[in-house]
Amino acid sequence: MTGKDPNYIPKLEKAIAQKYGAETVDNPRKFWDDAKEQQYIEQSKLTVEKLRKNEAQVEKVETDGFLINKKLLTRDHHRPCPVCVKYSFQPRDDLYMNKFEACFNCYIQYVEGREERWTTGWRPKKEK
């Protein structure tokens, strides 16, 4: 421990307290009492009850030997791009699919800067 200041930590705490206030260097246990502990326990119990109720309300359907949330099965995703016919795994493509009916790459290539023409119905010719 040669060359280390033994008063470094107290000096650091003092500087932090001056800059951000005395509460920042206090031990959190100082502000915790039995009443707050009971309140925390009650809030935790209520949270667990809400989670259990939500789990009970979710309908699950058996598909291929697995239980799947029914809401997941009813979602309709048009993942193949109608322009380039490539299947999209990218979440960013959802925005462009919903707004322009094209994936991100097709948006950049055909739509960007020409939105008016795109909305009137123009589409690129399909190549073989």
Side-chain angles (χ1 to χ4, degrees), residues 7-26:
N7 294 325
Y8 176 74
I9 300 291
K11 288 179 184 177
L12 185 63
E13 284 182 355
K14 184 177 180 183
I16 291 172
Q18 286 176 347
K19 186 170 183 179
Y20 298 107
E23 274 188 1
T24 56
V25 292
D26 285 337

Side-chain angles (χ1 to χ4, degrees), residues 4-5 11 18 24 26 28 35 48 58 74 77 82 88 105 114 121:
K4 291 199 176 192
D5 184 12
K11 288 179 184 177
Q18 286 176 347
T24 56
D26 285 337
V48 169
V58 172
T74 59
H77 290 291
S88 168
N105 292 333
R114 301 177 284 270

